[in-house]
Structures are given as C-alpha cells and as structure tokens.
C-alpha cells in the first residue's frame, strides 16, 4: 500500500499523522484526552503511545492507495 501525506507540523485531533515520538517514527491517530496528547493505533491489539518527551508531527495522511492482490 502507498500512503499519501501532506508535510506539516500541525494537525487536528482525530487525524492520522506521521510523527516522531521520543526519537522514534510512527503513523497513528493524533488524540487528546484529559489535556494529554497521545497517539492511538488503528489496531486495538496495540497500546496508545503517550510521549515521555517530544511529539513532533511531520505529516498528515491525505489518502491511501491499496495494492491489488
């Protein structure tokens, strides 16, 4: 699959973002609850990521192109 993104350092909560969290890169939903910003995975088998330090948004997902199988 291919992900189309728009490079930006800001995103609305609820959007899927490419972000650097504590020195690691990931693609997750940007969320905020009780004043805390965190990243929520689409796969519920994984836990949300609450940054210990920096969370830097690098891009917002605009679309996905699925490969034919």
């Amino acid at each position: 699959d291919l992900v189309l993104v728009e490079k930006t350092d800001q995103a609305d909560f609820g959007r899927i973002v490419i972000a650097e969290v504590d020195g690691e890169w990931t693609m997750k939903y940007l969320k905020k609850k009780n004043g805390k910003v965190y990243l929520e995975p689409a796969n519920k088998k994984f836990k949300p990521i609450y940054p210990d330090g920096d969370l830097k948004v690098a891009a917002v997902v605009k679309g996905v192109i699925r490969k034919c199988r």
Side-chain angles (χ1 to χ4, degrees), residues 7-67:
K7 187 176 178 181
T8 182
D9 60 356
Q10 297 186 9
D12 294 329
F13 296 111
R15 299 294 304 264
I16 300 172
V17 299
I18 306 294
E20 184 180 11
V21 185
D22 302 327
E24 300 288 330
W25 289 93
T26 189
M27 183 173 73
K28 306 264 186 288
Y29 287 94
L30 181 66
K31 299 284 188 153
K32 185 175 185 179
K33 185 176 183 178
N34 299 327
K36 285 190 147 188
V37 176
Y38 67 99
L39 296 170
E40 183 176 294
N43 186 335
K44 299 301 178 186
K45 293 180 182 179
F46 295 96
K47 295 181 180 181
I49 298 172
Y50 292 89
D52 291 327
D54 288 340
L55 184 149
K56 297 176 188 169
V57 173
V60 174
V61 173
K62 293 293 190 172
V64 177
I65 300 172
R66 301 272 181 201
K67 290 184 181 178

